[in-house]
Amino acid sequence: MRQTAPEGRGPVRYGPPAPDTGLDTGLPVPPGLAGLLAAAAGRTAPEPPGGGPVLREAAAGYWWRRGLRTHPEDVVAAPGAPALLLALIAAHGGDLLLPRPCPAWWTPQARLLGRPTYHVPTPAEAGGVPDPYALLETVRRIRAEGGDPRVLLLSVADDPTATVAPPELVREACEAAVAEGLHVISDETWRDTLHDPGGTVLLSPAEMCPDDVTVLVDLGGALAPAAWPCAVARFPPTDPSRADRWTDPRARVLDVLTALGALVPGPVAPAVAHALDEPGDVTERARRAAATHGRLASAAHRAVLAAGALARPPQAGRHLYADLGPLRAGLAARGVADSLELESHLTARLGAPVTGGHRFGDELGALRVRFGTGMFLGVGEEERAEALGADDPVELPHVARALGDFGGALEELR
């Protein structure tokens, strides 16, 4: 019998609302973006499949500035990362390999297509990228059982673990994948949310294996409001004379997006193209949000360790992934024996969505959970804006109270 979650939460396969993303974490929308959206409000036609030339050129510039040679013909845009990932998986075919844990929204795309998925463990130092030796063993086992592994999906700036994979791990994993004939899809949605950009090295797989990596970025991660759906993908540069709809993955992705009617809304396109150009008002807000959430994540990390639980130090994003396994006895006394019950218990206790590790591919019996740092910003727009504008948000009274309540909820479980 299918197990269900508490009222209003849906069956186990669905998750609670995701933590806030993008510029809607308390900061107002930059006036330049808001003005462009308002000016285009009368535009009734959507962008063509894959995005128009202005949007694709802006995306190409975004990757050029990050050291990846990109032209507009190498880019595809879609109304959000889920639709774009669905098209990418459909275009490449075969079985899909994922790190464990992985973002909760990845697996449903493969499930919709009926594609088998296999989770590969990640090393101790970071999530998002599979252990290279475990990856090779998994590929060989799948093939021995008659499977057809073709795609490795990974994230160097990871959701849910909030870690950044070290360059040597990324290189080894990608080289192992390419040697086995796998195409790599690198989800880099959170790459622009590094808590310490000067002290954290982020290396894209496309820098090492340029012919075998497609890069995916959802603009709701850092540059644009999550309510304005747009994601972009960078494909390995292809000689136009050799590209055709039967052999070129970009052409196949465009076919899928066209069939789905997955088109970027016309009024949104000028604004997100402007965000991809990274003007000062957009980058300053993104930098400020990343720094604020980094301080909150670090404070939450200290509270987790103080309670006797485990977590990797957060380096990016707006979340913290904790292992409450050391608190199993205290949780059992409260009737909590798995991550679904842990999700329900902590969501009720903290009054904010908390996501169990089973949503991310971890075993149900593992007491792992992801906390969103947005819960510490405050309850109203004024409090949240104050926290995001403060030099040290942890010192603000309402933030300190929220962090204290968070630590207290964990201490209760000891």
Side-chain angles (χ1 to χ4, degrees):
M1 185 176 75
R2 187 175 70 187
Q3 188 178 9
T4 58
E7 182 179 358
R9 301 289 294 287
V12 170
R13 65 178 181 270
Y14 301 118
D20 289 337
T21 56
L23 297 175
D24 52 347
T25 52
L27 285 173
V29 177
L33 292 186
L36 286 168
L37 183 70
R43 181 176 170 182
T44 58
E47 288 282 285
V54 174
L55 178 54
R56 290 186 289 109
E57 185 171 353
Y62 169 89
W63 276 302
W64 270 107
R65 291 189 294 276
R66 285 153 181 81
L68 294 176
R69 181 174 63 88
T70 311
H71 298 94
E73 58 268 23
D74 304 322
V75 174
V76 163
L84 189 48
L85 180 60
L86 179 74
L88 286 168
I89 296 173
H92 285 281
D95 302 344
L96 185 66
L97 285 86
L98 313 170
R100 172 178 282 140
C102 70
W105 63 273
W106 283 3
T107 307
Q109 316 307 314
R111 184 186 298 123
L112 285 171
L113 293 168
R115 298 288 170 77
T117 58
Y118 300 89
H119 288 273
V120 184
T122 55
E125 60 264 36
V129 176
D131 178 90
Y133 298 102
L135 174 63
L136 290 172
E137 179 58 30
T138 303
V139 169
R140 290 163 187 164
R141 175 174 56 82
I142 295 170
R143 287 178 176 152
E145 295 172 355
D148 182 22
R150 293 192 193 177
V151 175
L152 169 63
L153 184 55
L154 53 76
S155 56
V156 287
D158 185 43
D159 168 19
T161 65
T163 58
V164 176
E168 60 272 17
L169 172 60
V170 178
R171 178 182 59 79
E172 292 172 3
C174 290
E175 287 180 351
V178 171
E180 291 295 329
L182 303 181
H183 185 77
V184 178
I185 299 175
S186 177
D187 180 0
E188 299 180 10
T189 293
W190 297 100
R191 69 167 298 153
D192 297 314
T193 65
L194 299 185
H195 300 162
D196 179 18
T200 304
V201 179
L202 186 150
L203 188 65
S204 171
E207 296 180 59
M208 293 172 288
C209 305
D211 296 329
D212 300 285
V213 177
T214 298
V215 181
L216 170 66
V217 173
D218 189 328
L219 300 190
L223 297 180
W228 301 2
C230 187
V232 289
R234 175 198 180 270
F235 291 80
T238 302
D239 183 349
S241 66
R242 294 186 290 107
D244 62 68
R245 68 186 311 106
W246 308 113
T247 61
D248 179 32
R250 182 179 180 276
R252 296 201 297 274
V253 165
L254 288 174
D255 284 344
V256 175
L257 294 175
T258 301
L260 294 174
L263 311 176
V264 176
V268 169
V272 295
H274 183 68
L276 282 165
D277 286 335
E278 298 181 288
D281 57 343
V282 171
T283 55
E284 172 59 23
R285 280 162 172 77
R287 183 203 60 78
R288 187 188 308 169
T292 297
H293 284 279
R295 293 188 178 95
L296 297 176
S298 294
H301 180 250
R302 292 192 293 270
V304 167
L305 298 184
L310 304 172
R312 295 180 176 106
Q315 298 173 287
R318 303 182 178 107
H319 38 270
L320 177 72
Y321 199 60
D323 182 354
L324 304 191
L327 309 180
R328 187 176 293 274
L331 287 165
R334 291 164 174 78
V336 176
D338 60 33
S339 62
L340 176 61
E341 293 168 345
L342 179 62
E343 175 184 285
S344 300
H345 173 79
L346 289 175
T347 295
R349 172 63 178 81
L350 296 172
V354 175
T355 317
H358 58 287
R359 313 282 185 190
F360 309 107
D362 265 332
E363 295 179 359
L364 184 65
L367 295 173
R368 299 188 181 105
V369 67
R370 186 186 71 173
F371 301 103
T373 51
M375 73 171 83
F376 307 122
L377 288 174
V379 295
E381 182 177 343
E382 183 176 343
E383 284 187 350
R384 294 166 71 85
E386 182 184 10
L388 284 160
D391 291 334
D392 189 356
V394 176
E395 294 183 351
L396 295 175
H398 72 273
V399 174
R401 284 194 301 270
L403 285 166
D405 187 50
F406 173 76
L410 296 178
E411 289 286 346
E412 294 170 1
L413 305 177
R414 300 186 69 168

